[in-house]
Amino acid sequence: MSISSGSSMCGDEDGDLLLDEEEEIDFYAILNVPKDATDDEIIKAYRKRCLMFHPDRFTDNDEKKDAERVFVKLRRAHEVLLDPKQRAIYDALGVQGLDTQGWELVSRSANPENIRKEYEFLQRLKERELMLQRVHPTSTFMIKTTVAGMFQENEEDRYPPQLLGISLSQSVDCAFTGVDRFGLSGRVKTGNGRGDGSVSAVWKRVAGNVNLENTVSLSADSVSLTCRAARNVFTRAAVIVQPQLQYNMLHEAFIPSIALIYSMKLHPRWQGSIVLNISPIANALTTTMVHTENNHAKAVGSLTLSPVNSNVRLVYFIRKPENDAVTEMSVQMTTYGINPAIIMDRRLSRYSRLSCSFHFSFPSCLLYTKFKLKAGQSTFDWQIVLCDDKEALSRSVLYGVAIPYFTFQLAKMIFRPWWERFKMMFEDNSREQEVDVAKKEEAANIVNLMRATAERIKRDEESKNGVIIESARYGQCDISGTRAYPLAGERTIDVTVPLQAMVNDSQLRVYTVKSQLPGFYDPCPGDPKMLTVRYFFRGEEHSCTVADEMPLMIPLRAHRLTNEKT
């Protein structure tokens, strides 16, 4: 039987069935298609699922209701993944991004990383506004010290640690209307016996397809007015114009300048931009290329041409999703020298992050480290200068970087149980570690709906000696100990029926994280998971185990269990 997109089987007769809330759903897992699936692959997978879960196939009222709930998700996934704009939002933000704010963000930026950052900012802002009467306060406290004097070779040249400066910044941002926002920010700092500060006021407005931002800044020696207008000019391109007028009180002179920015999405994983800065002091032209991977920046390269300081900057990111950690390695080459840096950032708890970075400048041989703790909307920075003298560089690296690092790693190994207990003090996984009872019940109901299809497919496969799923279990992966291979943990579920129902023409392909496949649920939230399958193909027994994030391909010759009998 053939099914068209406009038939009742895939139609909108039950359009009044809505999800209770916008829960986080993996549309790719529901349809069992890869993230780079074409429209034809999505339509084919959707029609196949319609044959299995359409409510008209069931006569029992309870089964019909269960099928209706699954069918609503199928149609939602089908609609979103076939719409390029909705799919871009979903890939960057998930289900929660498919709202008005998500559409507004896409009109401002074509870069998924920028969409994600702005969306997360707006989500946090929304929660804060509800608690703090639409006011969004942020603060940053920074302290700068030096210990370079402790690493001098001659004892008479050594001096104790010193405080170089302190700065404090605060800002508030308030939404007055649906399209207008107003913000205030201030900064005070002191260093080398001299104090300084500045205050800024900003007004933001969304005027149709144009985003406007006007800022007035006042400091001890200057007053500036900055205007910024951003607008999409093509489907994948945007233009930003940012003029500025600054009055320097010391020289009693006006300094006008303007920045012209053109940004364009060159490829699904490449974003490019050109920035032209024009001012009486110096002109500059900067071009930047950003390569993304899984909606995150993977590599960044920029070239700046200026009569004052031309430079090339390269950045590379290494991400570890299991620890929510990011390592950023960068190098900047200028006409005055080279400046490499490494930044290591990871999640400390649900609402806080901790980062440590090292920065070096050559030939000045300035070496410093920076620790940053971000808790909620507050940021604490501590910068420590380790070396400012070429003669003391080797001692600074040895005593200020190498020895502390290896001592820390050794302490972690020796006191590992205490270290793990210390990390757990910052975690709040009580809710994540609870199995969702509703999803467990829903998965059981879906398995009942799939049972008839699974039995029919099994009979067909038996008749042609194809793929027959003997047993399949999904759940906890035990990676403790010194074994070279993982073993299944205690918390696993039987997924034999769902996998057999997904077999098509003696093949089974699973592309995404398994917990959101029909008939699956997460039996061990927060723990590593794996899928173990034993199956028969052409009368021979096969077995395979794949990690949760890895695709499953059946059958494969490598899965065959060898017969040792001669």
Side-chain angles (χ1 to χ4, degrees):
M1 180 179 64
S2 64
I3 301 173
S4 65
S5 299
S7 67
S8 61
M9 186 71 79
C10 300
D12 295 324
E13 295 178 355
D14 50 352
D16 55 337
L17 291 172
L18 300 176
L19 299 177
D20 294 335
E21 58 181 6
E22 286 287 352
E23 57 179 325
E24 196 61 37
I25 303 174
D26 190 337
F27 290 152
Y28 295 100
I30 291 175
L31 297 176
N32 190 29
V33 294
K35 292 187 179 297
D36 58 351
T38 63
D39 289 352
D40 291 340
E41 291 173 337
I42 293 171
I43 293 173
K44 183 179 179 181
Y46 172 62
R47 290 175 176 174
K48 184 180 179 181
R49 289 289 191 273
C50 287
L51 289 173
M52 189 182 304
F53 292 109
H54 198 281
D56 292 346
R57 296 187 66 254
F58 304 94
T59 56
D60 182 80
N61 290 333
D62 292 336
E63 291 183 349
K64 185 181 288 289
K65 290 181 180 179
D66 293 333
E68 287 173 349
R69 279 191 284 268
V70 178
F71 192 68
V72 168
K73 294 181 180 180
L74 288 173
R75 193 174 62 245
R76 176 75 163 143
H78 175 258
E79 293 173 353
V80 170
L81 297 185
L82 286 184
D83 187 300
K85 291 185 178 180
Q86 291 195 63
R87 187 172 181 176
I89 297 173
Y90 174 75
D91 288 342
L93 308 174
V95 178
Q96 299 297 330
L98 297 171
D99 56 11
T100 303
Q101 289 182 340
W103 287 105
E104 291 177 354
L105 290 176
V106 167
S107 67
R108 300 176 198 173
S109 174
N111 187 349
E113 178 69 9
N114 292 340
I115 294 175
R116 180 182 299 277
K117 288 182 178 179
E118 287 224 24
Y119 177 78
E120 291 175 351
F121 170 77
L122 290 175
Q123 287 296 97
R124 293 195 301 268
L125 178 60
K126 182 178 179 181
E127 295 174 0
R128 287 283 181 172
E129 285 174 347
L130 293 176
M131 292 189 299
L132 303 175
Q133 298 179 351
R134 301 165 63 90
V135 177
H136 179 228
T138 60
S139 64
T140 301
F141 177 78
M142 188 180 75
I143 182 172
K144 184 177 181 180
T145 60
T146 177
V147 295
M150 299 177 61
F151 306 128
Q152 295 294 327
E153 184 175 1
N154 298 324
E155 186 174 354
E156 59 271 13
D157 295 333
R158 297 174 189 169
Y159 53 88
Q162 294 181 349
L163 176 65
L164 299 181
I166 296 176
S167 70
L168 176 65
S169 303
Q170 288 190 326
S171 65
V172 292
D173 190 74
C174 181
F176 281 96
T177 66
V179 295
D180 292 287
R181 305 190 66 85
F182 182 77
L184 285 173
S185 62
R187 180 171 182 258
V188 293
K189 63 178 182 179
T190 178
N192 298 323
R194 182 176 180 270
D196 196 3
S198 63
V199 61
S200 300
V202 58
W203 170 47
K204 303 175 184 178
R205 181 178 178 83
V206 179
N209 294 328
V210 180
N211 292 273
L212 302 175
E213 183 175 319
N214 302 297
T215 305
V216 178
S217 300
L218 174 64
S219 64
D221 53 7
S222 67
V223 179
S224 65
L225 171 63
T226 304
C227 301
R228 183 177 185 270
R231 189 186 190 282
N232 281 13
V233 290
F234 303 108
T235 305
R236 296 184 176 183
V239 171
I240 301 174
V241 179
Q242 185 171 307
Q244 183 185 62
L245 181 61
Q246 181 180 6
Y247 177 72
N248 190 299
M249 299 180 184
L250 181 63
H251 298 90
E252 297 183 350
F254 287 96
I255 305 175
S257 63
I258 187 172
L260 304 175
I261 305 170
Y262 180 76
S263 179
M264 184 174 183
K265 190 172 184 180
L266 306 173
H267 186 269
R269 293 187 178 182
W270 286 94
Q271 177 85 13
S273 65
I274 298 177
V275 181
L276 175 62
N277 289 284
I278 304 174
S279 72
I281 300 176
N283 299 328
L285 178 65
T286 301
T287 178
T288 303
M289 294 287 292
V290 180
H291 175 60
T292 61
E293 184 177 274
N294 297 326
N295 300 325
H296 292 282
K298 182 67 174 179
V300 179
S302 66
L303 169 65
T304 300
L305 301 177
S306 170
V308 177
N309 185 18
S310 298
N311 65 83
V312 175
R313 186 170 185 265
L314 303 174
V315 186
Y316 185 75
F317 297 88
I318 300 176
R319 302 180 185 274
K320 296 182 178 180
E322 63 274 13
N323 299 325
D324 195 4
V326 181
T327 300
E328 175 185 335
M329 296 174 288
S330 65
V331 59
Q332 185 175 22
M333 294 167 283
T334 71
T335 54
Y336 301 105
I338 183 170
N339 306 298
I342 181 170
I343 303 174
M344 296 161 286
D345 179 276
R346 65 163 294 162
R347 183 175 67 92
L348 187 61
S349 69
R350 184 184 298 181
Y351 303 107
S352 61
R353 299 189 67 85
L354 180 65
S355 68
C356 175
S357 60
F358 292 92
H359 305 259
F360 179 68
S361 297
F362 181 83
S364 64
C365 293
L366 175 64
L367 174 66
Y368 67 92
T369 182
K370 182 185 292 186
F371 296 93
K372 178 186 290 186
L373 173 64
K374 186 173 183 181
Q377 299 301 316
S378 300
T379 303
F380 304 89
D381 262 334
W382 183 18
Q383 181 177 325
I384 307 173
V385 178
L386 300 175
C387 178
D388 55 8
D389 183 9
K390 182 178 180 180
E391 302 297 331
L393 179 60
S394 58
R395 294 176 58 85
S396 299
V397 172
L398 177 62
Y399 295 108
V401 179
I403 292 180
Y405 174 78
F406 288 110
T407 301
F408 175 71
Q409 295 297 330
L410 182 61
K412 280 175 57 177
M413 295 176 57
I414 297 176
F415 304 102
R416 188 174 186 84
W418 290 272
W419 171 251
E420 296 295 335
R421 194 177 305 170
F422 172 76
K423 290 198 300 183
M424 290 300 296
M425 293 172 57
F426 298 94
E427 297 290 347
D428 183 14
N429 296 326
S430 56
R431 294 184 61 185
E432 286 83 352
Q433 292 176 351
E434 294 178 359
V435 176
D436 194 322
V437 178
K439 289 187 180 297
K440 180 179 180 180
E441 182 179 352
E442 179 184 3
N445 295 334
I446 293 176
V447 169
N448 290 332
L449 299 178
M450 302 174 76
R451 197 174 299 278
T453 301
E455 292 175 355
R456 175 181 58 81
I457 292 177
K458 184 177 181 180
R459 289 193 299 269
D460 293 342
E461 294 295 321
E462 287 176 341
S463 65
K464 57 185 179 182
N465 218 8
V467 172
I468 304 166
I469 307 298
E470 180 183 12
S471 65
R473 299 201 68 85
Y474 170 73
Q476 189 178 26
C477 176
D478 185 3
I479 56 176
S480 61
T482 58
R483 294 185 303 271
Y485 54 89
L487 293 177
E490 298 179 355
R491 293 184 289 174
T492 61
I493 57 175
D494 186 357
V495 292
T496 306
V497 171
L499 289 186
Q500 185 68 69
M502 294 167 61
V503 173
N504 181 31
D505 194 19
S506 298
Q507 290 187 344
L508 176 60
R509 302 290 186 265
V510 179
Y511 301 99
T512 56
V513 174
K514 290 51 172 197
S515 61
Q516 297 211 25
L517 291 169
F520 284 61
Y521 71 93
D522 191 346
C524 53
D527 292 341
K529 286 170 279 291
M530 68 181 189
L531 174 62
T532 301
V533 185
R534 296 180 68 88
Y535 64 97
F536 283 93
F537 179 65
R538 294 179 179 175
E540 295 182 327
E541 189 173 8
H542 294 64
S543 178
C544 67
T545 298
V546 295
D548 195 26
E549 65 276 5
M550 298 298 294
L552 173 67
M553 304 292 180
I554 285 179
L556 289 178
R557 183 182 298 273
H559 296 166
R560 187 174 59 180
L561 299 179
T562 57
N563 190 349
E564 296 181 355
K565 295 181 180 181
T566 58

